[in-house]
Amino acid sequence: GILPEIVSLSELSYANGLLQTTTYVAILLGGICGGILVSLWGDALYKIGLALIVIAVLSALSSFGIPKVSAASTRALAINPWAEIIIGFKQFFKQRLLFWVIMAIAYFWALGLAMQVNLVAWGHFTLNWSPLAIAGMQAMLGIGIGVGSLAAGKMSGDQIEPGLIPLGALLMGTLLLFMAQPGLSAQMIYFLLLCTGVAAVFYIVPLNALLQE
């Protein structure tokens, strides 16, 4: 939400690319580090707890680096949280483009959550992979997201490029169907996850830029 206040409209797509890179790679790194920590300290859970506390403190400290900007609205914040939600829903239904953009973003996060949960279950119960190999699956997805975010930002140039949205959606669906085939090698699974990460970003970066614009 702060991006439109700190970058110009022409820089919005590229800034979103950088933001998506750091956000999604961080989420996936959390999954990878989870697998590594369980492998290292699965029998000493207090060590994992201490590691999480250190990460939480570092996260809180890093938030002080966010630039200060003037308030986007002079309207007083309602004490009742439901009032703010009702105001948001009124805007949501009033603007047709906003409605579909938010629905498409919600779908993306639902799909992402399903993949996060199912990748671990698939790797553990179906493929019988080690926690480290399963962490590698998430790593390939993260690398794809990182590469795709920068590529999507560059391809959009100084404008928002909605044409990338159907391309990303089509690629994601096709790649996930390929991944559902039995008998795939580990190398092929990793490659498909890498490509899925790239496709996912082609879908979400223009959507986020549209929402902010």
Side-chain angles (χ1 to χ4, degrees), residues 26-106:
I27 290 169
L28 290 162
L29 275 176
I32 294 162
C33 292
I36 293 169
L37 289 176
V38 169
S39 297
L40 292 174
W41 298 328
D43 54 348
L45 295 181
Y46 73 93
K47 292 182 180 179
I48 296 176
L50 289 172
L52 295 177
I53 290 168
V54 169
I55 292 166
V57 170
L58 291 173
S59 301
L61 291 174
S62 71
S63 71
F64 290 106
I66 298 170
K68 287 182 171 64
V69 296
S70 57
S73 171
T74 54
R75 182 176 61 82
L77 188 70
I79 300 299
N80 176 10
W82 293 105
E84 291 295 327
I85 291 169
I86 290 165
I87 291 166
F89 266 106
K90 282 179 180 176
Q91 291 295 320
F92 179 62
F93 290 114
K94 194 187 297 180
Q95 301 182 42
R96 188 175 176 83
L97 178 61
L98 184 66
F99 175 85
W100 287 112
V101 166
I102 291 174
M103 292 298 287
I105 291 171

Side-chain angles (χ1 to χ4, degrees), residues 21-199:
T21 302
T22 51
T23 301
Y24 298 123
V25 169
I27 290 169
L28 290 162
L29 275 176
I32 294 162
C33 292
I36 293 169
L37 289 176
V38 169
S39 297
L40 292 174
W41 298 328
D43 54 348
L45 295 181
Y46 73 93
K47 292 182 180 179
I48 296 176
L50 289 172
L52 295 177
I53 290 168
V54 169
I55 292 166
V57 170
L58 291 173
S59 301
L61 291 174
S62 71
S63 71
F64 290 106
I66 298 170
K68 287 182 171 64
V69 296
S70 57
S73 171
T74 54
R75 182 176 61 82
L77 188 70
I79 300 299
N80 176 10
W82 293 105
E84 291 295 327
I85 291 169
I86 290 165
I87 291 166
F89 266 106
K90 282 179 180 176
Q91 291 295 320
F92 179 62
F93 290 114
K94 194 187 297 180
Q95 301 182 42
R96 188 175 176 83
L97 178 61
L98 184 66
F99 175 85
W100 287 112
V101 166
I102 291 174
M103 292 298 287
I105 291 171
Y107 165 75
F108 176 82
W109 281 102
L111 182 63
L113 179 62
M115 280 197 70
Q116 277 283 89
V117 174
N118 283 291
L119 272 183
V120 176
W122 184 40
H124 182 72
F125 295 109
T126 307
L127 301 174
N128 295 314
W129 284 7
S130 68
L132 213 55
I134 295 168
M137 295 166 81
Q138 294 172 314
M140 296 312 290
L141 203 54
I143 292 167
I145 285 170
V147 172
S149 294
L150 296 175
K154 287 282 187 187
M155 288 168 72
S156 299
D158 60 356
Q159 60 185 3
I160 297 167
E161 189 48 76
L164 290 174
I165 299 168
L167 173 66
L170 184 64
L171 283 173
M172 273 197 298
T174 305
L175 289 162
L176 289 173
L177 283 172
F178 271 122
M179 226 179 297
Q181 305 309 307
L184 293 176
S185 66
Q187 291 84 352
M188 180 55 73
I189 289 170
Y190 283 148
F191 175 71
L192 289 171
L193 284 167
L194 179 77
C195 295
T196 302
V198 174

